Amino acid sequence: MRFFSLLPFAILWAQPSIADLVSREFPHLIIPLKQDYPTTPFGTQYSGEITVVNGAHQVWTEISFDVPSNSARSCHLAVTIATGSQGAPWTLTGNNPSFNIFEISTAMDQFRDAWNQNTRPAVHGWVATFDVHYDGTVTMTGGDVVCNKGGLAQYLIEPNGGQNVGFTWFEEADPVHGITYEMYD
């Protein structure tokens, strides 16, 4: 009998929360950091690249979002690959390609940031790990971030181990393709 009296609460508790998307933001800066060119700033790009070849020749990417002030109560980073004829360009290399996203200090500078540690923002902490699959699906662990309403949210993306992995993508809004900062109420 006790089971049946608790059943409505158990069902309610087990339901996933349904939140409305308030805003989806695309990066306003995408800055590659290239190990083979340690002091060269490459400025902002329309596409991103994360690679490692034979354990070296790495390319990491910084991304920056201008976060609007709105009614959002939760924020999340997402990676979406639009496949099919309307999808934007993307490439993937390696076995089980996996990538980490780290929060960085809000000091990105497209005219300064390069591979050398003394020219790029400090890393503050892990945000997410995402795996990209050859069919275009993405599996993400983590991704929840503090809503930095009215400010900047900046991240560094790098390979998650591996000797030969790579992911390149072109940011596009329609259909959604790339890395986005999603705000929910």
Side-chain angles (χ1 to χ4, degrees):
M1 275 311 206
R2 282 190 183 154
F3 171 77
F4 290 112
S5 65
L6 294 176
L7 188 59
F9 295 107
I11 291 172
L12 183 61
W13 181 77
Q15 293 293 317
S17 64
I18 299 175
D20 290 325
L21 181 66
V22 174
S23 181
R24 175 179 288 129
E25 298 301 313
F26 292 85
H28 292 111
L29 292 174
I30 302 173
I31 302 173
L33 309 173
K34 299 184 178 189
Q35 186 180 31
D36 291 345
Y37 303 94
T39 60
T40 303
F42 287 91
T44 192
Q45 309 290 312
Y46 293 109
S47 58
E49 178 181 5
I50 314 154
T51 58
V52 58
V53 178
N54 297 324
H57 312 290
Q58 296 190 57
V59 179
W60 300 355
T61 295
E62 295 175 332
I63 56 172
S64 180
F65 298 94
D66 295 330
V67 183
S69 293
N70 56 34
S71 64
R73 292 184 288 190
S74 65
C75 293
H76 187 83
L77 292 181
V79 178
T80 306
I81 304 299
T83 59
S85 62
Q86 294 186 6
W90 64 288
T91 63
L92 190 61
T93 57
N95 292 325
N96 305 313
S98 182
F99 309 93
N100 288 317
I101 302 174
F102 296 94
E103 183 179 14
I104 57 177
S105 63
T106 54
M108 283 174 54
D109 184 334
Q110 66 177 321
F111 303 108
R112 179 202 67 216
D113 290 1
W115 182 265
N116 280 355
Q117 184 62 40
N118 62 349
T119 63
R120 64 177 191 233
V123 173
H124 290 298
W126 176 86
V127 172
T129 298
F130 65 95
D131 303 328
V132 182
H133 307 278
Y134 285 93
D135 65 357
T137 59
V138 177
T139 307
M140 182 177 280
T141 303
D144 292 332
V145 294
V146 173
C147 291
N148 197 15
K149 296 182 205 174
L152 297 173
Q154 298 184 338
Y155 305 94
L156 174 69
I157 310 169
E158 65 181 48
N160 180 24
Q163 291 293 308
N164 293 293
V165 296
F167 174 47
T168 63
W169 73 96
F170 185 87
E171 285 288 334
E172 188 168 270
D174 187 19
V176 174
H177 183 85
I179 297 175
T180 55
Y181 186 98
E182 297 184 346
M183 305 178 79
Y184 296 91
D185 69 2

